[in-house]
C-alpha cells in the first residue's frame, strides 16, 4: 500500500514538474512571439551537448545551418532562454553598434576568493573597461617588434628539435609540438622564464597549463546558472594548485628583476610598469603617458591574473591555428609548395626573418585566415545583455541578463557566404573577395570593443612557427589522421579528437 502511494506521489511530482517546465519555464519565447527551437524537458535544447554527442562548436553550427533564415532565434539551455543571432547586421549591432547594451560575457569572476579570475576575459563593466584601456598599449606592433627576438629564437629551437625526427621519418603529433612552442614563447614573454617545453615536453609548465582547462563539471554548471551560490559559499572555480603555481612564478620573477635591476623588452616588463606607474610607456617618445587620467596601479594579483590569461588565451588558440594550417597544407601539396616559395623568396630577398619581413608574406596571411575560417579555435562568441534594448530593424526585445550566442563556426561554414565551405582555399582572402563579403562573416577574433586583444601577437607567433618549419621541412599527412577531422567533443577550443599526425622530411 505504502509502495503504491509512493509511486502515485512520484508520478504526480513528475507531472507537476513537467507541466511547470513545459508551460511556465519554456513559455518565454512563445509569449514573446520569437521563433524558437522546440525544447525537451528538462534539458531544453542542449541534449546532444549534455550527452557529449557533439562539441559546442558543432552544436551551434548545426543550429545555425538549420535556422539561419531567422535572423535570430531562441533556444533554452536547461531552463534559461538564450538568443542565437545569425544575421551579420544584427551581429554588428550586438558586438559594436550597441556595445553599451552588451558589454559583458557573463563568465564567472570572483576576485576575492579566486584572484586569477579577475582578468580581461571575465571582468565586467567599468572594471573591464579600465583594464582594457590600460592593457591596449601592451599589444601595439611596436611592442611586439621588441619581443620578436623571443619568438624567432623559439622558432629556431623548434626546428632544431624536429631535425632529428625528420631524419627518422616517424610521424609527429603536430599540435603537441606547437603547444610546446607557444608555451615557451608565452612563458618567456609573460613570465620571464625559459620553460624549456620544446626540449622536454612533459614538464611542470605543460602540466599546470593543462590543469587550467580542467573543469569541475558541477561547479561549471553552477557558475553558468546560479553564480550567486558560488559567491555565497566562496567556492573557487580554479584549482588552488593552478592559482598557487602561476602566482608564485610571477611573484618570484618580478622580485628577481627588481632586485637585479633587470629590464627586458617583454610583457612582464609592461605589467611591472602597470604595477609601478599605472600606465605603459608609449612607443612614441612625444607622448607623455604619465599625464593619463587612468593611473590606478595594478596590484600584484591583478597583474598575475592578466599574465595568467595571456598564457591561457594565447598558447592553445595559436597552436591550434598553426596545426590546422599544416593539416590542410599536408593535404594540398601544391598550396604547400606555393607558400614555401613565398617564404624562400622573401627570406632570400631580406637575408633574415624580422617583423617587417613577416608582414611581406601575403600568401602566408591568407593561408592562416583560411585556416581560421575553416577551423576557428573559438567557435562561438558570447555576450550578456547589460541594458534592455529592442534590436533595431526587428521586434526582438532583449531584456537585461539575456544570454546571446554568435555561432562563428556556423557563419564560417555557411555555403551561401563561403561556397564549398569544406574546401581549403586561401584565395578566398584575396582583397576583392574579402571586400565583397559582409565584414561580420569572418570573426575568428570576435569584433567590437571586446575583440581579442592579442590577435596581432597570435598572428605573429603562428607565422613565425610556420615560417621556421616550412623553410626547412615538407609535411605530409600520416594515415592515422582522419579527413575530415573528428572534433573533440570535450575540448573548449575546436580541436581534432585524436590529434593531427604528420610526417616530416627535410626540404633541403
Ligand atoms: C590565433 C590566436 C587567437 C585566437 C583565434 C583568439 C580568439 C579570441 C576570441 C574569439 C576572443 C573573444 C572576442 C569577442 O568576444 O569578441 C578573444 C578574446 C581575448 N583574447 Fe584572444 N585569440 C588568440 C590569441 C590570443 C593571444 C596570443 C592572447 C594574449 C597574449 C589573447 C588574449 C585574449 C584576451 C585577453 C581576450 C579578452 C579580451 C577582452 O575581453 O577585452 N588571445 N580571443
Amino acid at each position: 500500500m505504502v509502495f503504491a502511494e509512493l509511486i502515485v506521489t512520484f508520478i504526480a511530482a513528475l507531472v507537476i514538474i513537467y507541466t511547470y517546465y513545459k508551460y511556465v519555464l519554456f513559455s518565454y519565447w512563445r509569449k514573446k512571439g520569437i521563433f524558437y527551437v522546440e525544447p525537451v524537458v528538462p534539458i531544453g535544447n542542449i541534449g546532444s551537448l549534455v550527452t557529449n554527442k557533439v562539441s559546442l562548436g558543432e552544436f551551434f553550427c548545426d543550429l545555425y545551418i538549420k535556422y539561419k533564415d531567422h535572423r535570430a532565434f531562441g533556444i533554452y539551455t536547461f531552463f534559461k532562454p538564450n538568443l542565437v543571432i545569425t544575421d551579420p547586421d544584427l551581429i554588428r549591432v550586438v558586438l559594436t553598434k550597441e556595445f553599451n547594451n552588451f558589454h559583458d560575457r557573463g563568465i564567472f569572476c570572483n576576485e576575492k576568493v579566486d584572484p586569477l579570475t579577475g582578468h580581461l576575459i571575465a571582468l565586467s563593466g567599468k572594471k573591464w573597461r579600465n583594464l582594457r584601456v590600460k592593457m591596449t598599449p601592451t599589444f601595439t606592433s611596436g611592442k611586439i617588434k621588441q619581443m620578436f627576438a623571443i619568438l624567432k629564437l623559439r622558432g629556431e629551437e623548434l626546428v632544431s628539435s624536429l631535425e632529428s625526427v625528420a631524419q627518422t621519418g616517424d610521424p609527429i603529433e603536430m599540435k603537441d609540438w606547437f603547444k610546446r612552442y607557444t608555451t615557451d614563447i608565452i612563458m618567456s614573454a609573460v613570465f620571464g622564464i625559459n620553460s624549456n617545453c620544446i626540449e622536454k615536453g612533459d614538464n611542470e609548465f605543460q602540466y599546470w597549463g593543462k590543469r587550467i582547462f580542467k573543469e569541475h563539471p558541477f561547479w561549471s554548471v553552477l557558475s553558468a546558472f546560479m553564480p550567486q551560490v558560488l559567491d555565497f559559499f566562496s567556492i573557487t572555480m580554479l584549482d588552488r594548485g593552478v592559482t598557487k603555481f602561476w602566482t608564485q612564478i610571477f611573484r618570484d620573477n618580478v622580485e628577481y628583476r627588481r632586485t637585479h635591476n633587470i629590464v627586458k623588452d617583454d610583457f612582464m616588463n609592461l605589467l611591472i610598469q602597470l604595477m609601478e606607474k599605472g600606465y605603459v610607456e608609449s612607443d612614441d617618445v612625444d607622448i607623455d603617458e604619465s599625464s593619463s587620467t587612468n593611473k590606478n596601479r595594478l596590484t600584484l594579483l591583478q597583474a598575475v591574473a592578466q599574465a595568467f590569461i595571456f598564457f591561457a588565451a594565447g598558447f592553445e588558440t595559436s597552436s591550434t591555428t598553426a596545426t590546422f594550417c599544416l593539416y590542410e597544407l599536408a593535404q594540398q601539396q601544391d598550396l604547400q609548395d606555393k607558400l614555401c616559395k613565398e617564404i624562400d623568396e622573401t627570406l632570400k630577398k631580406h637575408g633574415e626573418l624580422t617583423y617587417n619581413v613577416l608582414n611581406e608574406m601575403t600568401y602566408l596571411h591568407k593561408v592562416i585566415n583560411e585556416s581560421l575560417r575553416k577551423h576557428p579555435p573559438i567557435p562561438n562568441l558570447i555576450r550578456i545583455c547589460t541594458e534592455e534594448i529592442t534590436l533595431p530593424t526587428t521586434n526582438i526585445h532583449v531584456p537585461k541578463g539575456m544570454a546571446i550566442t554568435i555561432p562563428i563556426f556556423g557563419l564560417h561554414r555557411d555555403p551561401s557566404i563561403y561556397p564549398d565551405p569544406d574546401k581549403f582555399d586561401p584565395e578566398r582572402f584575396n582583397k576583392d573577395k574579402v571586400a565583397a563579403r559582409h565584414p561580420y562573416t569572418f570573426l575568428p577574433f570576435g569584433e567590437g570593443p571586446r575583440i581579442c586583444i592579442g590577435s596581432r601577437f597570435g598572428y605573429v607567433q603562428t607565422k613565425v612557427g610556420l615560417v621556421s618549419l616550412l623553410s626547412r621541412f615538407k609535411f605530409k599527412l600520416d594515415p592515422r589522421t582522419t579527413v575530415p577531422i573528428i572534433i573533440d567533443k570535450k575540448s573548449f577550443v575546436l580541436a581534432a579528437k585524436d590529434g593531427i599526425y604528420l610526417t616530416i622530411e627535410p626540404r633541403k
Side-chain angles (χ1 to χ4, degrees):
M1 190 61 190
V2 175
F3 183 65
E5 274 172 13
L6 269 178
I7 296 225
V8 170
T9 315
F10 181 66
I11 292 172
L14 279 187
V15 170
I16 291 169
I17 291 171
Y18 181 86
T19 315
Y20 182 67
Y21 259 94
K22 184 108 184 136
Y23 298 102
V24 180
L25 293 179
F26 287 163
S27 67
Y28 181 85
W29 295 118
R30 189 171 10 95
K31 281 190 188 151
K32 297 279 172 200
I34 293 169
F35 177 84
Y36 64 100
V37 187
E38 199 57 55
V40 174
V41 177
I43 41 177
N45 300 99
I46 59 170
S48 55
L49 260 186
V50 173
T51 52
N52 259 333
K53 285 202 181 106
V54 289
S55 67
L56 199 62
E58 289 166 303
F59 173 76
F60 280 104
C61 181
D62 292 349
L63 284 176
Y64 171 95
I65 298 290
K66 266 193 208 152
Y67 303 109
K68 66 175 176 162
D69 290 343
H70 302 273
R71 301 175 66 200
F73 59 85
I75 62 163
Y76 293 92
T77 50
F78 292 105
F79 52 85
K80 255 193 165 179
N82 185 309
L83 185 67
V84 183
I85 302 195
T86 59
D87 174 58
D89 282 330
L90 288 183
I91 294 175
R92 191 194 325 237
V93 166
V94 170
L95 296 181
T96 307
K97 282 190 177 163
E98 303 296 342
F99 176 75
N100 286 341
N101 300 61
F102 299 99
H103 51 67
D104 294 343
R105 296 203 176 88
I107 293 177
F108 175 80
C109 168
N110 183 342
E111 287 173 274
K112 275 195 206 121
V113 291
D114 243 347
L116 298 201
T117 60
H119 52 67
L120 267 187
I121 291 187
L123 281 172
S124 56
K126 266 206 179 119
K127 273 196 168 174
W128 164 76
R129 162 71 65 199
N130 285 339
L131 197 64
R132 175 88 191 200
V133 171
K134 273 190 196 304
M135 301 304 297
T136 300
T138 312
F139 289 92
T140 59
S141 50
K143 298 280 188 274
I144 293 172
K145 256 187 206 172
Q146 291 169 359
M147 293 179 213
F148 196 75
I150 296 177
L151 285 92
K152 210 172 134 185
L153 178 66
R154 299 300 172 229
E156 286 159 7
E157 284 173 3
L158 182 61
V159 169
S160 61
S161 288
L162 286 179
E163 220 118 58
S164 50
V165 184
Q167 305 296 338
T168 65
D170 289 342
I172 55 169
E173 205 287 289
M174 206 58 241
K175 174 92 180 272
D176 179 53
W177 280 97
F178 273 131
K179 268 207 291 210
R180 288 156 66 172
Y181 159 78
T182 52
T183 301
D184 278 354
I185 289 180
I186 302 188
M187 287 312 297
S188 42
V190 180
F191 289 90
I193 52 175
N194 185 358
S195 51
N196 246 335
C197 293
I198 295 177
E199 206 181 300
K200 190 172 177 303
D202 220 3
N203 65 19
E204 58 175 343
F205 300 101
Q206 291 270 306
Y207 173 79
W208 288 109
K210 275 187 208 142
R211 294 286 295 216
I212 296 173
F213 298 103
K214 218 175 160 78
E215 288 190 336
H216 190 300
F218 183 69
W219 295 152
S220 302
V221 171
L222 213 59
S223 82
F225 296 101
M226 279 176 270
Q228 309 83 342
V229 177
L230 293 179
D231 282 346
F232 186 78
F233 290 105
S234 295
I235 294 165
T236 57
M237 278 289 285
L238 271 175
D239 180 320
R240 284 198 194 278
V242 168
T243 307
K244 198 169 157 221
F245 178 80
W246 296 104
T247 309
Q248 190 68 44
I249 50 170
F250 188 83
R251 191 194 308 253
D252 288 353
N253 282 288
V254 170
E255 269 166 25
Y256 184 81
R257 283 193 184 188
R258 280 180 174 156
T259 317
H260 296 85
N261 276 331
I262 296 171
V263 179
K264 287 190 184 173
D265 285 330
D266 58 12
F267 283 125
M268 174 164 263
N269 180 41
L270 303 171
L271 288 169
I272 292 174
Q273 288 180 18
L274 288 173
M275 284 192 289
E276 289 177 349
K277 304 180 191 157
Y279 59 89
V280 166
E281 282 161 16
S282 168
D283 301 331
D284 186 341
V285 284
D286 295 332
I287 298 177
D288 178 12
E289 293 290 343
S290 61
S291 60
S292 148
T293 49
N294 182 10
K295 279 193 296 195
N296 292 338
R297 293 184 200 153
L298 289 195
T299 63
L300 179 91
L301 282 178
Q302 283 173 325
V304 181
Q306 309 326 309
F308 166 75
I309 205 61
F310 290 173
F311 176 77
F315 90 98
E316 184 84 43
T317 45
S318 302
S319 56
T320 302
T321 307
T323 305
F324 279 129
C325 283
L326 288 187
Y327 166 75
E328 295 290 349
L329 295 174
Q331 291 169 65
Q332 297 197 57
Q333 291 293 324
D334 52 332
L335 302 189
Q336 190 174 150
D337 291 344
K338 185 171 174 180
L339 179 55
C340 287
K341 190 164 174 270
E342 177 181 80
I343 292 172
D344 291 349
E345 284 175 3
T346 321
L347 289 179
K348 198 169 165 209
K349 184 171 145 203
H350 296 280
E352 63 163 339
L353 184 62
T354 63
Y355 181 80
N356 290 341
V357 169
L358 205 59
N359 285 338
E360 265 187 41
M361 300 182 187
T362 50
Y363 190 63
L364 173 64
H365 196 68
K366 290 184 212 171
V367 166
I368 294 176
N369 277 348
E370 176 62 347
S371 172
L372 288 166
R373 177 204 61 89
K374 197 173 165 193
H375 312 282
I378 308 292
N380 305 296
L381 301 178
I382 48 171
R383 291 291 186 271
I384 293 286
C385 176
T386 41
E387 206 182 315
E388 64 173 316
I389 181 174
T390 299
L391 292 179
T393 72
T394 75
N395 61 354
I396 302 175
H397 180 78
V398 190
K400 192 172 169 178
M402 169 70 71
I404 313 279
T405 303
I406 294 160
I408 307 182
F409 194 36
L411 284 158
H412 288 192
R413 292 292 182 110
D414 181 342
S416 68
I417 303 170
Y418 298 99
D420 198 0
D422 292 336
K423 184 175 172 201
F424 183 83
D425 177 11
E427 309 300 332
R428 293 182 203 272
F429 288 88
N430 291 346
K431 272 194 183 137
D432 55 333
K433 296 224 170 119
V434 173
R437 282 192 297 265
H438 192 298
Y440 282 70
T441 55
F442 180 60
L443 299 170
F445 296 102
E447 252 304 344
R450 268 203 112 139
I451 193 171
C452 172
I453 200 170
S455 61
R456 195 180 271 131
F457 193 78
Y459 270 122
V460 175
Q461 64 176 349
T462 305
K463 286 180 181 178
V464 171
L466 289 173
V467 168
S468 307
L469 292 186
L470 286 166
S471 57
R472 301 294 281 278
F473 308 116
K474 194 175 178 64
F475 291 82
K476 291 186 181 155
L477 208 60
D478 182 73
R480 213 183 311 185
T481 307
T482 56
V483 178
I485 53 152
I486 299 165
I487 296 177
D488 186 353
K489 318 271 184 284
K490 292 184 189 149
S491 170
F492 171 67
V493 295
L494 199 112
K497 180 170 163 275
D498 300 310
I500 303 273
Y501 286 87
L502 303 177
T503 52
I504 59 175
E505 42 191 77
R507 277 186 58 215
K508 37 189 151 154

